[in-house]
Amino acid sequence: MTDSGAGSFFSSVPQSSSSAARYGFDDILTEDDARGLLSDAADRDIGSGADSKATASASSDFDGIGDGEETYTVEHAVEKLGFGRFQLRILFICGIMTAADAMEMLLLSVLGPALRCDWQLSSAQVAIITTVVFAGMFGGAPAWGAVSDKHGRRGVFGLSLSLIAYFGLLCSFSPSFFWLVSLRGMVGFCISGATSSFTLLSEYLPQTYRAKVLIAYNVFWGLGSSFEVLLAYMVLPNLGWRYLTAFSALPLFIFMLALGFLPESARYLLASGQPKKAAAVIDQIARDNRKPPMTGRPVAASVTEADRGTLLSLFHPNYRRTTLTLFFMWFGVAFLYYGIVLISTEIFQFHSDCYGSSEVTVGHNTTEIVTDESCCRSLQPDDYKAMLISSFGEFVIIPFNLITIDALGRRWTMAINYGLTSVFFGLTYICVPKAVTTAFLFMIRAHAAGIFNTIYIYTVEVYPTVVRSVGLGVCSSIARLGSMSTPFVAQVLMPDVSVLLAFCVYVTVAVACAVLALLLPIETRGRAMPQGLVEADPDIVAFRADSVDGEGRGATAEIRMQGRSEN
């Protein structure tokens, strides 16, 4: 095929689409068209002569062309092999680990009041116990994410769980406040590594099931939180906080036995140049789901070691705007979620005039009463009941998100949840009966949890395999800045400056995040999970044909073709 032949080759291609033009390519065609064109090219002397060659490379979900061997991508394999026992096993293993992590996090809500009396801690010291956990998560999230993208999801998940259990158990032997704070900081650092389980699970889910399963995955977090409240109710009054801390860490030691049944991510294996291991995992999916095995060999987009797990890759031109937008949205959801947790314990005092009672203010100028209340008041049965009720918000929002996330998309689901969070924050400031205020608080907690559910899903879907874990890790780290900032609004600005101003801050942040959600440049609903940074649109697939004619003249034909997804 001569140069003029190459010209006629492209002249047969349909008119360019807006999608192709957006990424700088002139042509887009269907798979059948591309196969036909490549076949025609092969008939026109491709392969003639000793030095002739014909190659075709694909970065999507169908067989290789031109090299005599069938190929497929992990995306194609996952879609074709469907959802079955393989995914259910990963869901269960990762889920019980997540429930155990939730127990460690909720432990913070009961550990502070117990230590306040045992060790005569001040309010600032109690706050430090919580803050240091978030500080540890802030430092650990990007580090664990980078390691996960470079060395695998499964290993990072197992190592982080082992360290959570180890440092969590050591907390029960803490001889002093300094040692307790140091060990809780290490627990926070290690908890941030457990997010690799979410990445691992998402990479094995077909598009049809991905959002639904990942939303249902959050049930395990709610179950872990609820179990920790019940455990505290039974252990804390009778045995004390040291036994509670030890019992909260023990499930992790037991559940780690299940790690042997957890596979490594096939997407990671391909991205790291281990196609044989990836093929073995894909064969395991076929066996477990009772589907015919894939034929051929798995292929992936070409990536370099420098592309994997690097922070700068998050600011690649294809992802820069998305990354900056997600940073603020992650900060906002943590700021709002933990803000309502803190406000819930204070709002009834501020609204005491609305309830026609002055009991809250009686005796507050008496030093002895203040000391007794802050130091020696243990958690009462009503306190445990209130924590259980608030945990129900984590479950209530799940059906709402299940409906909207696929019907309306990820961006609109987040925007609606942010918007309703701002509405209920504003309503909470209004003087209404106590039961109504409680209902408003419950709705804020539910919709804030709904944002967390969806933004996790969006983040793992939008970033490519080579930086998916580090992307989720860095975003999670930004969220910890929000959780560390919100106490200054809920516990300083609100009681000491202005209740109205504090609520205005929360409403403003929620509204701003709702707008940003709609401005996200990529909607991930129905979109294949990209493998490399250059795959800005996974629905666009590249084919390349190189040829040498009988006179030794070469020509290259590059085709952009519309990918397909199989449900």
Side-chain angles (χ1 to χ4, degrees), residues 165-432:
Y166 175 70
F167 288 113
L169 184 62
L170 285 182
C171 286
S172 63
F173 299 99
S174 298
S176 65
F177 175 76
F178 171 80
W179 276 104
L180 180 69
V181 168
S182 300
L183 291 170
R184 294 309 299 176
M186 291 304 301
V187 170
F189 181 89
C190 298
I191 284 177
S192 58
T195 57
S196 59
S197 65
F198 193 87
T199 304
L200 176 62
L201 175 61
S202 69
E203 292 179 337
Y204 279 120
L205 295 175
Q207 291 182 22
T208 306
Y209 297 91
R210 188 184 302 143
K212 299 178 180 65
V213 173
L214 292 178
I215 289 175
Y217 179 73
N218 289 279
V219 170
F220 289 98
W221 182 274
L223 290 174
S225 301
S226 302
F227 181 77
E228 181 67 21
V229 174
L230 295 175
L231 183 65
Y233 178 72
M234 293 185 293
V235 174
L236 197 57
N238 301 313
L239 300 176
W241 67 268
R242 293 185 185 275
Y243 280 92
L244 176 63
T245 305
F247 291 159
S248 298
L250 286 179
L252 281 172
F253 286 105
I254 299 173
F255 294 151
M256 278 190 293
L257 298 175
L259 286 176
F261 300 95
L262 190 67
E264 180 56 272
S265 166
R267 293 178 186 268
Y268 160 77
L269 291 172
L270 273 182
S272 60
Q274 304 177 69
K276 291 184 178 180
K277 291 183 178 180
V281 175
I282 293 170
D283 289 341
Q284 183 183 352
I285 299 176
R287 291 193 301 271
D288 290 350
N289 292 355
R290 299 178 181 177
K291 295 292 182 69
M294 301 295 296
T295 57
R297 59 183 175 85
V299 296
S302 178
V303 296
T304 65
E305 181 68 21
D307 289 333
R308 294 194 291 118
T310 59
L311 179 61
L312 289 180
S313 297
L314 300 179
F315 298 93
H316 185 279
N318 291 338
Y319 295 97
R320 184 185 300 121
R321 179 181 163 191
T322 299
T323 295
L324 294 175
T325 305
L326 282 176
F327 279 178
F328 190 86
M329 292 176 62
W330 274 88
F331 176 93
V333 64
F335 184 82
L336 297 168
Y337 182 88
Y338 292 105
I340 196 58
V341 170
L342 296 175
I343 286 177
S344 297
T345 60
E346 306 288 344
I347 190 63
F348 295 115
Q349 177 179 339
F350 300 141
H351 281 345
S352 58
D353 293 341
C354 300
Y355 313 135
S357 172
S358 60
E359 293 179 358
V360 176
T361 59
V362 171
H364 270 232
N365 291 326
T366 305
T367 303
E368 290 75 16
I369 295 179
V370 172
T371 301
D372 291 343
E373 289 293 327
S374 64
C375 179
C376 297
R377 182 184 179 274
S378 59
L379 291 172
Q380 303 299 313
D382 285 345
D383 297 321
Y384 294 108
K385 180 180 178 180
M387 285 190 287
L388 270 179
I389 292 175
S390 65
S391 296
F392 291 155
E394 309 277 348
F395 300 100
V396 170
I397 198 61
I398 289 177
F400 175 83
N401 277 3
L402 284 173
I403 294 172
T404 60
I405 199 165
D406 281 327
L408 302 179
R410 281 60 161 157
R411 292 181 296 188
W412 271 103
T413 298
M414 288 188 287
I416 292 172
N417 277 314
Y418 273 120
L420 291 176
T421 299
S422 69
V423 169
F424 286 112
F425 253 117
L427 292 174
T428 304
Y429 175 74
I430 301 174
C431 186
V432 293

Side-chain angles (χ1 to χ4, degrees), residues 70-225:
E70 292 185 349
T71 61
Y72 61 87
T73 63
V74 177
E75 187 75 26
H76 185 202
V78 169
E79 294 295 326
K80 186 175 181 179
L81 299 178
F83 183 86
R85 291 192 301 175
F86 180 87
Q87 286 83 3
L88 288 174
R89 183 173 71 252
I90 298 178
L91 174 64
F92 180 74
I93 295 174
C94 294
I96 57 177
M97 302 296 187
T98 297
D101 286 346
M103 293 174 61
E104 283 292 328
M105 286 299 297
L106 198 75
L107 177 64
L108 296 173
S109 63
V110 296
L111 189 60
L115 288 171
R116 183 194 296 269
C117 191
D118 268 16
W119 286 358
Q120 300 294 303
L121 300 181
S122 66
S123 296
Q125 289 175 312
V126 172
I128 288 174
I129 297 174
T130 301
T131 302
V132 73
V133 175
F134 291 125
M137 296 175 72
F138 171 75
W144 285 111
V147 174
S148 178
D149 283 328
K150 287 186 176 295
H151 301 288
R153 285 68 160 118
R154 181 177 178 272
V156 166
F157 186 37
L159 178 60
S160 64
L161 290 176
S162 302
L163 293 176
I164 292 169
Y166 175 70
F167 288 113
L169 184 62
L170 285 182
C171 286
S172 63
F173 299 99
S174 298
S176 65
F177 175 76
F178 171 80
W179 276 104
L180 180 69
V181 168
S182 300
L183 291 170
R184 294 309 299 176
M186 291 304 301
V187 170
F189 181 89
C190 298
I191 284 177
S192 58
T195 57
S196 59
S197 65
F198 193 87
T199 304
L200 176 62
L201 175 61
S202 69
E203 292 179 337
Y204 279 120
L205 295 175
Q207 291 182 22
T208 306
Y209 297 91
R210 188 184 302 143
K212 299 178 180 65
V213 173
L214 292 178
I215 289 175
Y217 179 73
N218 289 279
V219 170
F220 289 98
W221 182 274
L223 290 174
S225 301

Side-chain angles (χ1 to χ4, degrees), residues 543-562:
F543 271 81
R544 180 182 180 89
D546 302 318
S547 69
V548 181
D549 63 14
E551 300 177 3
R553 289 175 295 188
T556 298
E558 185 168 292
I559 305 171
R560 290 278 154 178
M561 132 172 137
Q562 186 171 356

